[in-house]
């Protein structure tokens, strides 16, 4: 059992002072780490009341021996009370610092929320910022080595109704994010149609329809066609991926084609005529 878990258990009196909150145990954990693990928002309110505000960010970015900050611990434990208390006290710039602070495994609190499938927490962190910061956060949270955007990771981890997140972005930003490719050239849509995934049809519709203009009701089919035409490292479009399945999904293929129903026959023919690195079309 950790030192602070035993020391700060319910019923034990402790006095919030700078010397106390900065004290680390043998693993580098501070009382604030423990407050985060325990979802102790009352203790955090006392910290904010007694510790000068110019010291808050230092407390909240203190790292244990594994590089974890209190934010890492709160997100991992899904402790919304603690998160709401803390995020309500800091500025946007400080939020960005907290969200993108990395531990020894290069994980951020934002990436943990994605990789664990904690959609509610991810949305809370994102929407706590001004809209102009959303794309900046998406870019900063991208796994640069594997070129995995938060959207790739969200799809991989089974987030549903991802359009709720995408619609927080501007239309051009949604288009940009849906066009981005990982190290294997795959878009989030390539991952969404992967064989064996549940709710594939709904996820594909959800992703493509996030491009539509909700105010006017206009379907941006040219953008959808553009996304469907993107090829991965093997030259395979979304249609190739569906056609390559051992159990080909006609409903999934229909869901894709229905989203571009008003494009010309020539544009649809071009999509089906796209060849992969083996010179095969989806029809082959």
């Amino acid at each position: 059992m950790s030192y602070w878990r035993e020391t700060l258990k319910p019923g034990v009196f402790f006095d919030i002072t700078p010397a106390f909150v900065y004290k680390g145990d043998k693993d580098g954990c501070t009382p604030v780490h423990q407050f985060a693990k325990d979802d102790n928002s009352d203790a955090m309110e006392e910290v904010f009341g007694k510790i000068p505000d110019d010291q808050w960010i230092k407390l909240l970015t203190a790292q244990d021996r594994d590089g974890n900050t209190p934010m890492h611990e709160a997100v991992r434990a899904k402790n919304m009370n603690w998160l709401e208390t803390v995020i309500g006290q800091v500025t946007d710039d400080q939020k960005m610092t907290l969200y993108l602070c990395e531990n020894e495994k290069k994980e951020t609190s934002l990436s943990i929320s994605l990789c664990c499938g904690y959609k509610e927490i991810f949305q809370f962190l994102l929407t706590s910022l001004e809209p102009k910061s959303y794309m900046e956060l998406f870019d900063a949270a991208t796994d640069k080595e594997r070129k995995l955007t938060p959207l790739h990771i969200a799809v991989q981890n089974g987030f549903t109704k991802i359009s709720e997140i995408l619609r927080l972005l501007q239309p051009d930003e949604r288009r940009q994010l849906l066009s981005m490719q990982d190290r294997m050239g795959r878009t989030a849509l390539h991952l969404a149609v992967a064989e064996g995934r549940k709710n594939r049809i709904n996820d594909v519709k959800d992703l493509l329809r996030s491009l539509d203009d909700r105010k006017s009701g206009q379907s941006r089919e040219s953008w959808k066609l553009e996304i469907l035409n993107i090829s991965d490292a093997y030259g395979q479009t979304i249609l190739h991926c569906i056609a390559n399945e051992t159990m080909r999904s006609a409903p999934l293929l229909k869901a894709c084609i229905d989203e571009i129903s008003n494009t010309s026959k020539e544009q649809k023919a071009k999509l089906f005529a796209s060849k992969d690195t083996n010179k095969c079309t989806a029809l082959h």
Side-chain angles (χ1 to χ4, degrees):
M1 181 178 291
S2 75
Y3 171 78
W4 289 119
R5 180 173 292 279
E6 183 66 22
T7 304
L8 302 177
K9 62 185 179 182
V12 174
F13 173 79
F14 51 88
D15 187 22
I16 300 292
T17 64
F20 174 77
V21 293
Y22 281 118
K23 184 179 179 181
D25 65 11
K26 63 181 177 61
D27 295 319
C29 291
T30 67
V32 180
H33 282 86
Q34 194 62 49
F35 297 153
K37 293 176 184 179
D38 294 341
D39 205 17
N40 194 337
S41 56
D42 290 340
M44 283 311 300
E45 287 179 357
E46 191 173 350
V47 168
F48 290 132
K50 291 186 175 181
I51 304 300
D53 56 9
D54 61 356
Q55 294 184 30
W56 292 352
I57 198 68
K58 182 179 178 182
L59 279 175
L60 296 169
T61 55
Q63 295 176 292
D64 64 16
R65 68 178 181 182
D66 295 318
N68 291 310
T69 67
M71 280 292 297
H72 286 91
E73 301 293 0
V75 169
R76 193 175 283 117
K78 299 176 69 174
N79 287 337
M80 280 295 291
N81 290 328
W82 188 94
L83 289 167
E84 288 173 348
T85 298
V86 169
I87 299 310
Q89 293 285 348
V90 297
T91 67
D92 265 20
D93 285 344
Q94 290 173 329
K95 290 171 191 174
M96 289 289 283
T97 299
L98 295 178
Y99 297 167
L100 300 176
C101 188
E102 294 182 340
N103 63 15
E104 293 296 321
K105 295 180 180 179
K106 301 297 183 184
E107 297 170 324
T108 65
S109 54
L110 192 76
S111 68
I112 289 172
S113 70
L114 284 165
C115 293
C116 291
Y118 299 160
K119 181 182 174 184
E120 180 185 358
I121 290 179
F122 175 76
Q123 283 187 277
F124 167 73
L125 297 179
L126 188 67
T127 56
S128 72
L129 296 164
E130 290 295 321
K132 62 181 175 60
S133 302
Y134 293 166
M135 199 60 187
E136 181 184 352
L137 190 62
F138 268 79
D139 180 61
T142 295
D143 182 329
K144 301 299 191 296
E145 182 179 348
R146 295 180 294 170
K147 294 186 177 180
L148 289 174
T149 68
L151 185 59
H152 285 91
I153 299 170
V155 171
Q156 282 183 329
N157 287 283
F159 278 31
T160 57
K161 297 183 178 179
I162 297 175
S163 63
E164 293 175 3
I165 296 172
L166 284 171
R167 289 194 187 282
L168 296 171
L169 305 173
Q170 294 300 313
D172 284 344
E173 292 175 335
R174 290 179 229 150
R175 180 186 186 187
Q176 177 186 345
L177 203 56
L178 280 165
S179 300
M180 293 178 78
Q181 296 168 272
D182 67 12
R183 191 172 58 184
M184 300 302 296
R186 300 171 300 183
T187 64
L189 202 63
H190 280 91
L191 301 182
V193 302
E195 191 169 9
R197 285 191 79 251
K198 295 180 180 180
N199 305 313
R200 291 190 301 167
I201 294 175
N202 287 336
D203 288 347
V204 166
K205 288 180 179 179
D206 193 48
L207 286 170
L208 289 173
R209 290 177 184 177
S210 71
L211 294 169
D212 293 339
D213 186 336
R214 298 182 78 178
K215 290 182 180 179
S216 68
Q218 178 186 359
S219 176
R220 293 192 174 95
E221 296 197 7
S222 61
W223 287 9
K224 296 177 185 180
L225 187 66
E226 175 187 301
I227 304 300
L228 290 171
N229 258 314
I230 295 175
S231 301
D232 65 14
Y234 302 100
Q236 299 200 332
T237 65
I238 307 302
L239 301 193
H240 283 92
C241 295
I242 298 171
N244 285 340
E245 295 178 358
T246 52
M247 297 294 289
R248 294 174 179 82
S249 175
L252 182 58
L253 178 62
K254 183 176 184 300
C256 292
I257 301 305
D258 283 350
E259 292 302 314
I260 54 169
S261 59
N262 293 321
T263 55
S264 69
K265 291 181 179 179
E266 290 76 13
Q267 288 174 310
K268 292 188 185 76
K270 185 177 179 181
L271 178 62
F272 278 97
S274 177
K275 295 181 179 181
D276 63 16
T277 54
N278 290 320
K279 307 300 182 184
C280 293
T281 67
L283 296 177
H284 283 93

